[in-house]
Amino acid sequence: MGGGKRFAVLLCAEDSDYVKKMYGGYYGVFVEMLAEEGETWDVFKVANGEFPDDDEIADFDGFVITGSCNDAHGNDAWICKLIALLNRLDSLNKKVLGICFGHQILSRALGGKTGRALSGWDIGVTSIHLSSSSSKLFSSLKIPTTLSVIECHRDEVRELPPKAEVIAWSEKTSVEMFRYGDHMLGIQGHPEYTKDILLHLIDRLLQHTFIEESYADALKARLVKVEPDKEAWKKLCTSFLKGRL
């Protein structure tokens, strides 16, 4: 089925013990959503300075950039190295899917601007609206024009790269998704997350005093009533990455 294709997850976060135990780390979460029979999936812990060698980049059919606790507008050494890698992948026309931090750093690498979201944290299940052009792009998938996705971020894409196109937005975030050519796609939300992972993250944010207890309680109460469109997102992400759109 997969035709022997090879993909890599560029891991931009440290796995918590809980996610490691329950899901095999965030790498395991992405493989669960995206991998198909016959494919090879590798992981590079880029936040720890682990990058693919220059001579093996060409061997990969596509790359996925994960979320992170770091700021995409930061200048840590690994972030600068990741930006250089993304520019190389662009020049090679490689498929790249950026998720949350990955969406932001992809935009930055291509010439866009990122920063703190003016509306503050967005945590929970958010309804995002696909643009008319993206509805045509995804027409073969037969998915709704409004999709629910799990979000957990306080940064955002402030300004798109030249030649990039916004293909989805929400009431809180003007750039929920963007495309750059046919080979690069950014998604601000977390199509790979389960509600269980988000509940775990809410507890971690509370523990590290990033959010207040009353806010955490309200988020958990709301989460009981809503579901993300996980199957539609799986279809969208796999179809983009495997060149089936």
Side-chain angles (χ1 to χ4, degrees), residues 139-159:
S139 61
S140 63
L141 306 181
K142 296 182 167 50
I143 57 175
T145 54
T146 299
L147 291 172
S148 295
V149 69
I150 290 174
E151 305 252 7
C152 187
H153 66 101
R154 62 172 174 174
D155 293 344
E156 65 182 1
V157 172
R158 292 265 189 89
E159 194 178 302

Side-chain angles (χ1 to χ4, degrees), residues 17-240:
D17 290 339
Y18 180 80
V19 172
K20 266 193 275 199
K21 181 184 170 187
M22 299 298 291
Y23 300 94
Y26 286 114
Y27 166 72
V29 176
F30 276 103
V31 167
E32 171 68 24
M33 177 175 78
L34 297 170
E36 295 174 321
E37 191 181 331
E39 295 171 351
T40 302
W41 281 78
D42 296 323
V43 60
F44 295 95
K45 296 177 179 176
V46 294
N48 292 342
E50 186 186 299
F51 283 80
D53 293 333
D54 286 348
D55 57 359
E56 67 178 327
I57 289 170
D59 297 338
F60 289 94
D61 295 283
F63 296 80
V64 180
I65 325 163
T66 74
S68 179
C69 294
N70 290 73
D71 297 328
H73 49 273
N75 288 310
D76 310 55
W78 71 269
I79 289 178
C80 295
K81 194 171 179 182
L82 178 58
I83 288 170
L85 171 61
L86 295 177
N87 282 315
R88 174 123 193 260
L89 297 180
D90 176 33
S91 70
L92 294 170
N93 223 41
K94 292 291 183 183
K95 289 278 186 184
V96 179
L97 175 65
I99 302 295
C100 197
F101 167 90
H103 158 88
Q104 296 158 14
I105 200 71
L106 184 58
S107 169
R108 180 183 170 188
L110 296 168
K113 290 181 182 169
T114 66
R116 285 280 186 264
L118 302 176
S119 55
W121 281 100
D122 188 4
I123 304 172
V125 177
T126 299
S127 290
I128 74 155
H129 309 284
L130 299 179
S131 68
S132 56
S133 66
S134 65
S135 296
K136 288 173 194 159
L137 176 68
F138 303 132
S139 61
S140 63
L141 306 181
K142 296 182 167 50
I143 57 175
T145 54
T146 299
L147 291 172
S148 295
V149 69
I150 290 174
E151 305 252 7
C152 187
H153 66 101
R154 62 172 174 174
D155 293 344
E156 65 182 1
V157 172
R158 292 265 189 89
E159 194 178 302
L160 274 181
K163 300 180 188 172
E165 178 192 1
V166 178
I167 57 172
W169 72 93
S170 67
E171 286 179 18
K172 206 162 187 180
T173 305
S174 61
V175 186
E176 285 283 2
M177 290 174 68
F178 77 89
R179 65 184 289 212
Y180 183 87
D182 293 325
H183 61 299
M184 295 189 156
L185 181 71
I187 301 174
Q188 179 57 70
H190 282 279
E192 80 285 10
Y193 274 9
T194 61
K195 289 205 295 186
D196 175 61
I197 290 175
L198 183 59
L199 286 166
H200 165 68
L201 279 175
I202 290 169
D203 285 338
R204 288 187 75 196
L205 289 170
L206 179 61
Q207 189 183 340
H208 292 96
T209 65
F210 283 114
I211 58 174
E212 294 180 5
E213 192 166 358
S214 57
Y215 182 43
D217 290 342
L219 290 171
K220 289 178 181 180
R222 279 204 295 274
L223 208 50
V224 175
K225 303 169 188 171
V226 287
E227 291 294 334
D229 292 310
K230 278 188 73 67
E231 283 308 307
W233 283 108
K234 178 176 180 169
K235 200 188 285 188
L236 188 156
C237 291
T238 52
S239 298
F240 162 74

